[in-house]
Amino acid sequence: MEIFADADEACAGLAAEIAALIRANDAAGRKTVLGLATGSSPVRLYRELARLHREAKLSFRNVVTFNLDEYYGLSRTHPESYWRFMHEQLFDHLDIPAANVNVPDGTVARSEVFAACQSYEQKIRDAGGIDLQILGIGRTGHVGFNEPGSGRDSRTRLVTLDAITRRDAARDFQGEDHVPRHAITMGVGTILEARRIALLAWGEGKARVVAEAVEKPPTESLPASFLQGHAAVRFLVDAAAASELTRAKHPWLVGSIAWTPEITRRAVVWLAHAVEKPVLKLLDEHYSEHGMADLLTEQGPAYGLNIRIFNELQHTITGWPGGKPNADDRHRPERAVPHPKRVVVFSPEPSDDVLGMGGTLRRLVEQGHDVSVVYQTSGSLAVPDEEAVMAAEFVLELTQQGGAGENPEVAFAREVRRQLEAKTAFDGDTAEIRRLKAIIRRGEARAALKVTGVDPARAHFLDLPFYEQGRYRQFRIGRADVDIVARLLARIQPHQIFATGQLDDPNSVAATCFEIVRRAVASLAGENWQADCRTWLYRGADKAWDVAEIEMAVPFSPDELATKIQAIYHHKSQRSQSPVEAGRGEVWQQAGQRNRETARLYDRLGLADYEAIEAFQRHVFSERHPEA
Ligand code: F6R
């Protein structure tokens, strides 16, 4: 397991290794055989390899590649085919001969699949076997498309995709219904025959499965765990993807450690959960029986330690997220002055703001702060076509009723409706369709803001170009993205910034938006306002902070939580598109549950019993990679 500061750093190192391997093989007159994966995880590796080809004259003439898998039923030209993905992401940017590229064929007839899989395996053997296999890992624990149930000795074959895998691909396919049900994949046994393996995983979404893959005994129910038996396998992960490993999460369970204040707090909170006691009722023996005897020796006895941690937790709670004016703020998360504060809330897509901190937004407004909400992207990629059709027809109907002639708005609506009718399931949206979808999301965002009390004039819709010009998994930050955010920050000069996305998959919208904020702040380093500005991180609906990580906890009454949910509810286009999906839970329900759970955890630790809590962590922007 190798833990890196970020995916870029890991990918730069791995690409350099691949380059060295290719050069050594070239010098010895041998071909290099690479096993490749698709998906988000290797995107940065492929960009780096393309750069090495372009700038460092790394040739791929003698490289042979085998991709892990392909969706069954998709032709090469399908926008979501892995063949196409690999060409767009990598092969089109290299000098690799077309004949050296192998991707399973998703279009072979059922009756010929077995033979096609056999011959794929034969081809790998004929090439001399795979020198280095690149892998990602799915939330189900799959490698390739070897879903739970795949045996250690499985070979290249047709498989059925797991429901979770299909759900994870829904955004790419504009709806789960369009995601293929089957795929052809190299087997676990095929993968294990590679001489070296490098598995890449980024973002907290992978944390649990990474920990299970390396810490649990190998099992078919988590096929990536079979990699443990390989002699030359490496896991390359970022800190977020490593966060559930025992050594990262509970380091005191694996050996003696330095008890920093942060780890001490984490350990005491963990112990309280483990023995199901409030912090103030933890006894010396609880500590000793759970591998924390040395903590007691250093900082005990238990009661004194308990009180200290209890107070720390207590001091994270505040009803004044912007600071309490005229109060002693030595033990409060935010400073009292200045009051009011200029607050900037960054929302990667419209709705992230209310999902993550709708209650706090409202509180900040009520407490007199000057709150601006910055919607970084239009969010148009996430609007179903049906919503856009309704909007276009609404305009047409309205103008017909009013007897309006063919003004530009009518012409626009008519054109969008025509384009939507002509659009087949996997076509990307035209500029006009995206514009209409963006308008839908703006309307929803304004309706939601109204509930929070934010002045609509302080809603900024940036429609950042990286998103307008990009596709999921393939976003690239440009100078314009950073400049737009930097200009806004320089103008507002905030005392408080709220942001999210720092722990997400680096190719996601949220993480890309966070990186843009980071670079924008770095580009303004030294401006006076920065010395007096604090940044707070919030989280989306799918994951809450662990209590020990929270540095500001803002509690809410049942009514206030209901109001927050009302705000989220206004993001109509983001609700489930079918009763089946809705049955799995709507995002507004999840957001409410998260906030209730956080409150329950505080209660169990012996703190006050609130209905709901929104939580934040303080963040200091680092100076790394200031370039755009
Ligand atoms: C892709 C593949 C899959 C992915 C995995 C992770 O060829 O075989 O196993 O590696 O689903 O996907 P991302 O990287 O998109 O999170």
Side-chain angles (χ1 to χ4, degrees):
M1 181 73 56
E2 292 161 51
I3 304 172
F4 293 86
D6 58 30
D8 285 329
E9 187 184 313
C11 289
L14 183 58
E17 269 178 51
I18 294 174
L21 177 70
I22 294 173
R23 290 196 169 112
N25 282 337
D26 281 356
R30 278 195 306 265
K31 290 200 182 306
T32 302
V33 185
L34 299 178
L36 300 178
T38 56
S40 300
S41 308
V43 164
R44 281 149 201 263
L45 173 68
Y46 297 159
R47 278 186 199 158
E48 181 61 10
L49 289 174
R51 192 190 66 78
L52 290 175
H53 169 64
R54 212 170 48 239
E55 294 174 13
K57 299 196 171 46
L58 176 66
S59 171
F60 287 75
R61 290 209 162 278
N62 292 319
V63 174
V64 178
T65 65
F66 289 92
N67 262 84
L68 283 166
D69 41 19
E70 177 62 281
Y71 288 113
Y72 187 65
L74 298 199
S75 69
R76 288 179 166 187
T77 52
H78 190 288
E80 293 305 326
S81 83
Y82 283 170
W83 192 92
R84 184 154 166 188
F85 178 95
M86 285 308 300
H87 282 76
E88 287 176 359
Q89 294 293 316
L90 185 65
F91 301 141
D92 290 351
H93 311 286
L94 307 177
D95 59 348
I96 189 166
N100 290 9
V101 166
N102 300 283
V103 181
D105 181 357
T107 63
V108 286
R110 281 272 176 155
S111 56
E112 284 157 31
V113 166
F114 183 72
C117 293
Q118 300 269 56
S119 88
Y120 202 71
E121 295 256 342
Q122 189 57 46
K123 238 179 155 176
I124 296 175
R125 280 192 292 272
D126 292 347
I130 291 172
D131 291 314
L132 173 63
Q133 175 68 55
I134 306 297
L135 296 176
I137 181 169
R139 281 202 302 149
T140 58
H142 71 214
V143 283
F145 275 139
N146 293 287
E147 299 288 16
S150 301
R152 186 197 292 267
D153 299 322
S154 52
R155 311 300 308 185
T156 304
R157 67 205 187 287
L158 183 68
V159 292
T160 301
L161 296 178
D162 191 278
I164 296 177
T165 300
R166 294 186 65 239
R167 218 172 297 154
D168 284 347
R171 265 197 156 188
D172 301 320
F173 283 87
Q174 298 175 29
E176 204 176 309
D177 289 349
H178 302 138
V179 182
R181 293 184 178 276
H182 304 282
I184 293 179
T185 181
M186 272 158 62
V188 177
T190 326
I191 292 170
L192 289 175
E193 279 168 16
R195 284 183 278 282
R196 278 154 61 182
I197 297 176
L199 183 145
L200 316 179
W202 326 119
E204 65 178 1
K206 296 288 169 72
R208 187 195 52 78
V209 78
V210 164
E212 289 183 356
V214 298
E215 292 181 357
K216 291 208 163 158
T219 161
E220 286 189 1
S221 57
L222 203 127
S225 62
F226 288 130
L227 296 172
Q228 290 173 33
H230 193 279
V233 64
R234 300 155 61 194
F235 278 57
L236 281 67
V237 300
D238 61 7
S243 60
E244 291 285 329
L245 293 169
T246 302
R247 72 159 124 132
K249 199 169 180 175
H250 309 127
W252 56 92
L253 296 179
V254 275
S256 77
I257 53 156
W259 289 99
T260 62
E262 185 258 322
I263 293 184
T264 305
R265 177 152 136 191
R266 208 143 36 96
V268 174
V269 168
W270 172 84
L271 182 63
H273 286 307
V275 301
E276 297 182 23
K277 296 251 179 253
V279 172
L280 293 175
K281 289 192 182 170
L282 294 173
L283 304 174
D284 283 7
E285 52 261 42
H286 292 133
Y287 282 91
S288 335
E289 285 161 13
H290 288 81
M292 292 156 73
D294 55 337
L295 175 62
L296 274 192
T297 316
E298 221 179 88
Q299 302 184 31
Y303 197 59
L305 180 57
N306 295 347
I307 290 182
R308 212 182 74 221
I309 300 299
F310 179 87
N311 284 339
E312 277 181 34
L313 294 170
Q314 180 71 40
H315 292 152
T316 63
I317 303 174
T318 180
W320 297 82
K324 187 171 186 180
N326 308 317
D328 175 1
D329 60 6
R330 275 171 303 170
H331 296 301
R332 292 177 176 276
E334 250 307 345
R335 61 225 190 274
V337 286
H339 184 91
K341 290 187 173 60
R342 288 187 299 275
V343 182
V344 168
V345 175
F346 283 105
S347 184
E349 288 184 50
S351 78
D352 289 327
D353 55 341
V354 283
L355 277 170
M357 52 175 292
T360 302
L361 256 182
R362 188 153 173 264
R363 192 63 72 70
L364 286 165
V365 173
E366 281 170 1
Q367 292 174 351
H369 300 286
D370 190 351
V371 182
S372 302
V373 181
V374 180
Y375 298 103
Q376 290 180 268
T377 71
S378 69
S380 60
L381 286 171
V383 177
D385 289 347
E386 293 78 7
E387 295 284 332
V389 171
M390 279 198 294
E393 288 185 343
F394 174 82
V395 174
L396 288 173
E397 174 117 16
L398 196 70
T399 43
Q400 269 160 19
Q401 281 176 6
E406 192 73 1
N407 61 30
E409 292 77 22
V410 178
F412 174 74
R414 204 183 298 287
E415 176 57 18
V416 175
R417 191 177 59 176
R418 190 194 64 72
Q419 291 174 358
L420 283 162
E421 277 165 5
K423 187 182 158 186
T424 64
F426 303 110
D427 286 345
D429 286 348
T430 60
E432 287 79 11
I433 298 176
R434 288 191 70 166
R435 187 170 152 226
L436 184 64
K437 289 183 172 179
I439 294 172
I440 292 172
R441 294 210 70 177
R442 284 188 184 200
E444 292 170 351
R446 287 198 193 93
L449 275 192
K450 205 172 216 166
V451 178
T452 65
V454 173
D455 176 357
R458 298 214 190 284
H460 302 266
F461 296 94
L462 301 187
D463 294 348
L464 289 180
F466 86 85
Y467 184 89
E468 295 309 304
Q469 290 151 18
R471 303 180 45 181
Y472 286 127
R473 299 173 197 274
Q474 302 177 25
F475 299 119
R476 274 170 190 269
I477 298 174
R479 177 146 293 282
D481 297 303
V482 179
D483 286 350
I484 291 169
V485 171
R487 267 200 302 277
L488 192 77
L489 282 173
R491 185 152 57 82
I492 298 180
Q493 308 201 345
H495 301 107
Q496 262 190 330
I497 292 175
F498 287 86
T500 189
Q502 168 240 17
L503 296 171
D504 286 273
D505 171 342
N507 297 314
S508 65
V509 176
T512 307
C513 284
F514 185 81
E515 176 61 13
I516 290 169
V517 173
R518 195 188 66 72
R519 292 188 196 181
V521 169
S523 77
L524 302 173
E527 292 205 356
N528 283 344
W529 60 271
Q530 288 207 12
D532 192 27
C533 178
R534 273 193 198 176
T535 300
W536 295 96
L537 302 180
Y538 66 95
R539 277 200 174 176
D542 42 349
K543 187 125 188 344
W545 298 107
D546 284 344
V547 171
E549 297 171 320
I550 295 172
E551 289 173 275
M552 176 158 73
V554 185
F556 298 103
S557 69
D559 282 350
E560 286 171 315
L561 181 65
T563 307
K564 162 181 173 154
I565 290 173
Q566 177 64 51
I568 300 171
Y569 203 72
H570 281 304
H571 289 276
K572 248 176 78 229
S573 70
Q574 301 307 297
R575 289 191 224 152
S576 296
Q577 294 300 305
S578 75
V580 177
E581 278 177 47
R584 290 195 213 110
E586 295 278 358
V587 70
W588 50 270
Q589 291 169 320
Q590 283 169 27
Q593 272 160 16
R594 287 270 174 260
N595 297 159
R596 284 201 189 92
E597 262 163 41
T598 305
R600 207 166 25 241
L601 292 175
Y602 267 79
D603 174 33
R604 286 218 204 111
L605 291 170
L607 294 132
D609 182 6
Y610 293 103
E611 171 72 7
I613 286 180
E614 281 178 354
F616 303 87
Q617 196 176 56
R618 242 192 95 190
H619 184 72
V620 178
F621 284 108
S622 75
E623 293 294 321
R624 276 183 306 107
H625 312 310
E627 80 291 350

